[in-house]
Amino acid sequence: MKGTKRIITLFALVTAISFLSSAQEIKKEIPLKYGATNEGKRQDQAMQKFRDNRLGAFIHWGLYAIPGGEWNGKVYGGAAEWLKSWAKVPSDEWMKLMDQWNPTKFDAKKWAKMAKEMGVKYIKITTKHHEGFCLWPSKYSKYTVANTPYKKDVLGEMVKAYNDEGIDVHFYFSVMDWSHPDYRYSIKSVEDSIAFNRFLEFTDNQLKELATRYPTVKDFWFDGTWDASIKKNGWWTAHAEQMLKEMLPGVTINSRLRADDKGKRHFDSNGRLMGDYESGYERRLPDPVKDLKVTQWDWEACMTIPENQWGYHKDWSLSYVKTPIEVIDRIVHAVSMGGNMVVNFGPQADGDFRPEEKELAKAIGKWMSRYGEAVYACDYAGFDKQGWGYYTRGKNGEVYMVVFNQPYSGHLTVKTPKDISVEKASLLGTGEEIQVVETARNEYNVSVPKKNPGEPYVIQLKVRAAKGTKGIYRDALT
Ligand code: FHN
């Protein structure tokens, strides 16, 4: 008996020690100089606006629009803006494309109108993509619009035109610059380090130039930051973020810029988000059931219309092209999990958009004008995902059901969180009252509209928080 007692005491001691040491492990913070700077989600007005915008458009426009995926008679199926790399074109040869940069059909006002009609609240413009060509007349590079036959500052024209339409402008900026002799993929020698420091100074100058020339810019979206050289210089990513925030109070910065002291990207070595919003969801989205952790921070996804073409490619038949409904589905999917969605456009070299993009923008705009209430300023609703579509939640607590899959049963299952009951349902747009039948504890059948709207539609739910439900339900004893 004594022996048993001793064993039990020993076991309790071992358990207590291992519990304490694992608790300590959880608490152990890695000291970082260049880790996350925000505690939780930013709640200031500028961030709130970023979040409320929800739908944006990306513009990938650069020299790559001229060859459109074809070099020396060969069509490359990879992303058109990477053609220089696929076809192994040296920079001096690639930059000769500048002699052909003459987008005579470019009309910033028309572009802004198209975005407005599509219902986008912000636009992300590639100020400089990996190739190094600048859409503004940068005094730090010879590869700019100023040294082309067109000469004009197309970025400046875009900023003004979009702002005039009430659309926020975000700047895409690739740190990796294939045209710059001091860029390094990794740092292998003292010489590399000296060159790369010169490159970082050049990048600082370009960023300061952009922030000074276009002070209405609301966001910097960094790209091309995955190389070992940048991961080794986490200090610079923290510095660039701080520099822009001092120059432009309220500006938002994506997580993709950042690396911490240990080269950890997006999330620092303590697991905290760096930058203001997570920007890793590119051409993919979090799983609506398994990845609900994303609702804890701000995030933005971006997607292409073909499988993977950002810049203009002359042949869209090489990969699957999404339909407007598939694009709308992804927009709502992102918002239902508390994220933003940016839909990409790759304008032609002549300054016009390809017909498919114009049609897509129109179709999205038509849907957004009817149902945008369930997208703008909406958030994660906290309801379990159902097969018919997605839930979003508005600012006043109203819940939207965005229905993409019409059921044969004639009703949509709604399972509410504990102590939430559905009071009323109506069809967005027409106001038609929709029948709601309580079927079990926290479960309802919501009828489909009398006449099938023939497109994804939205049912608005009025919900009520009430402690305890009807006493008629008993859990099964199993
Ligand atoms: O390499 C780029 C690509 O061309 C495109 O700009 C996308 C947009 O998110 N970002 C990079 C790949 O992650």
Side-chain angles (χ1 to χ4, degrees):
M1 196 56 189
K2 250 187 180 178
T4 321
K5 252 191 184 170
R6 244 187 238 144
I7 289 170
I8 293 173
T9 320
L10 196 69
F11 178 74
L13 204 70
V14 170
T15 316
I17 290 170
S18 66
F19 174 77
L20 280 176
S21 59
S22 69
Q24 262 170 358
E25 254 170 45
I26 291 168
K27 278 199 189 131
K28 221 181 359 178
E29 276 269 326
I30 298 166
L32 293 173
K33 263 163 102 178
Y34 309 115
T37 48
N38 296 338
E39 273 298 335
K41 290 185 182 181
R42 253 176 70 178
Q43 295 300 346
D44 55 283
Q45 245 191 343
M47 192 71 215
Q48 195 62 53
K49 177 72 169 53
F50 172 95
R51 198 177 291 138
D52 288 353
N53 282 343
R54 287 305 189 213
L55 175 62
F58 228 135
I59 298 280
H60 271 73
W61 205 31
L63 296 178
Y64 40 82
I66 298 168
E70 181 178 344
W71 198 259
N72 284 341
K74 182 169 172 197
V75 175
Y76 292 78
E81 71 285 357
W82 276 75
L83 181 64
K84 177 183 181 303
S85 167
W86 310 141
K88 299 188 174 47
V89 188
S91 263
D92 47 353
E93 200 184 327
W94 182 261
M95 287 304 179
K96 284 188 192 141
L97 288 168
M98 282 171 58
D99 299 339
Q100 294 176 56
W101 180 264
N102 195 16
T104 48
K105 290 192 183 155
F106 171 64
D107 180 345
K109 284 187 188 155
K110 268 197 190 161
W111 284 30
K113 280 223 153 53
M114 176 172 152
K116 182 89 180 171
E117 277 166 27
M118 177 180 161
V120 307
K121 301 286 183 191
Y122 64 106
I123 199 100
K124 278 182 138 67
I125 310 168
T126 50
T127 58
K128 178 177 87 165
H129 203 264
H130 312 331
E131 63 179 1
F133 177 64
C134 305
L135 288 191
W136 81 102
S138 174
K139 62 178 180 204
Y140 301 101
S141 169
K142 55 184 175 183
Y143 305 128
T144 87
V145 280
N147 299 322
T148 65
Y150 194 65
K151 290 196 174 64
K152 290 190 228 166
D153 173 6
V154 292
L155 182 64
E157 288 187 24
M158 282 191 243
V159 172
K160 177 159 187 335
Y162 285 115
N163 282 170
D164 285 351
E165 288 288 356
I167 294 171
D168 287 343
V169 171
H170 294 191
F171 283 169
Y172 165 107
F173 184 93
S174 171
V175 177
M176 177 171 75
D177 184 332
W178 293 332
S179 75
H180 202 288
D182 289 332
Y183 186 74
R184 294 289 181 279
Y185 295 90
S186 59
I187 311 290
K188 296 196 181 104
S189 63
V190 177
E191 288 73 29
D192 280 346
S193 175
I194 294 170
F196 198 64
N197 278 336
R198 271 198 309 267
F199 176 79
L200 292 179
E201 205 183 315
F202 152 78
T203 306
D204 274 359
N205 284 333
Q206 286 209 315
L207 292 174
K208 283 192 244 174
E209 188 180 43
L210 283 169
T212 313
R213 284 181 67 98
Y214 314 104
T216 62
V217 60
K218 295 285 183 273
D219 172 276
F220 273 80
W221 197 94
F222 288 92
D223 200 7
T225 40
W226 43 75
D227 284 332
S229 52
I230 298 170
K231 286 199 267 183
K232 206 172 177 178
N233 283 285
W235 70 270
W236 176 81
T237 68
H239 146 84
E241 177 178 357
Q242 200 191 337
M243 176 182 85
L244 290 170
K245 286 186 170 172
E246 277 165 18
M247 291 184 77
L248 301 164
V251 75
T252 50
I253 311 271
N254 66 335
S255 65
R256 201 179 283 213
L257 164 69
R258 296 284 275 107
D260 74 3
D261 316 38
K262 298 180 184 302
K264 188 106 189 346
R265 298 187 57 237
H266 295 274
F267 290 86
D268 70 15
S269 303
N270 292 312
R272 299 205 179 94
L273 178 70
M274 295 182 283
D276 301 310
Y277 59 98
E278 197 270 347
S279 57
Y281 285 101
E282 178 173 316
R283 294 185 288 126
R284 66 190 179 97
L285 280 163
D287 184 283
V289 177
K290 292 189 210 134
D291 297 327
L292 283 175
K293 61 179 188 304
V294 301
T295 60
Q296 292 164 27
W297 50 77
D298 286 302
W299 59 278
E300 180 196 66
C302 54
M303 56 163 290
T304 47
I305 300 169
E307 198 277 313
N308 183 20
Q309 292 296 345
W310 298 90
Y312 173 79
H313 194 292
K314 54 178 62 160
D315 190 356
W316 264 17
S317 73
L318 297 174
S319 72
Y320 182 71
V321 177
K322 295 171 195 73
T323 65
I325 289 187
E326 286 170 326
V327 175
I328 295 167
D329 185 300
R330 284 161 174 79
I331 295 167
V332 180
H333 179 159
V335 177
S336 77
M337 299 184 76
N340 285 19
M341 176 52 91
V342 184
V343 181
N344 183 69
F345 292 80
Q348 298 167 171
D350 64 2
D352 201 356
F353 287 86
R354 69 196 313 141
E356 300 95 316
E357 288 186 342
K358 288 185 193 171
E359 276 158 32
L360 182 99
K362 243 191 212 144
I364 294 177
K366 201 168 152 203
W367 192 87
M368 288 298 290
S369 67
R370 284 189 201 142
Y371 303 110
E373 191 182 321
V375 171
Y376 303 124
C378 285
D379 214 327
Y380 171 57
F383 282 36
D384 282 352
K385 166 102 173 74
Q386 300 296 326
W388 43 254
Y390 306 95
Y391 295 102
T392 64
R393 181 173 46 80
K395 281 257 161 71
N396 301 317
E398 62 279 35
V399 171
Y400 298 102
M401 298 167 61
V402 189
V403 181
F404 284 89
N405 306 311
Q406 183 78 338
Y408 284 112
S409 66
H411 61 253
L412 309 151
T413 303
V414 169
K415 294 188 182 183
T416 59
K418 193 170 176 282
D419 296 335
I420 298 284
S421 60
V422 176
E423 298 285 286
K424 228 181 136 188
S426 56
L427 185 65
L428 207 66
T430 67
E432 174 190 329
E433 195 166 325
I434 300 284
Q435 197 188 34
V436 180
V437 177
E438 187 175 331
T439 52
R441 192 201 307 268
N442 293 109
E443 276 193 38
Y444 300 84
N445 278 353
V446 172
S447 294
V448 299
K450 281 194 192 80
K451 188 172 167 266
N452 187 344
E455 62 181 357
Y457 58 88
V458 178
I459 292 177
Q460 186 179 350
L461 299 181
K462 244 202 181 151
V463 297
R464 197 163 69 95
K467 271 258 165 272
T469 42
K470 285 185 197 166
I472 58 168
Y473 301 119
R474 292 281 171 270
D475 291 335
L477 297 170
T478 56

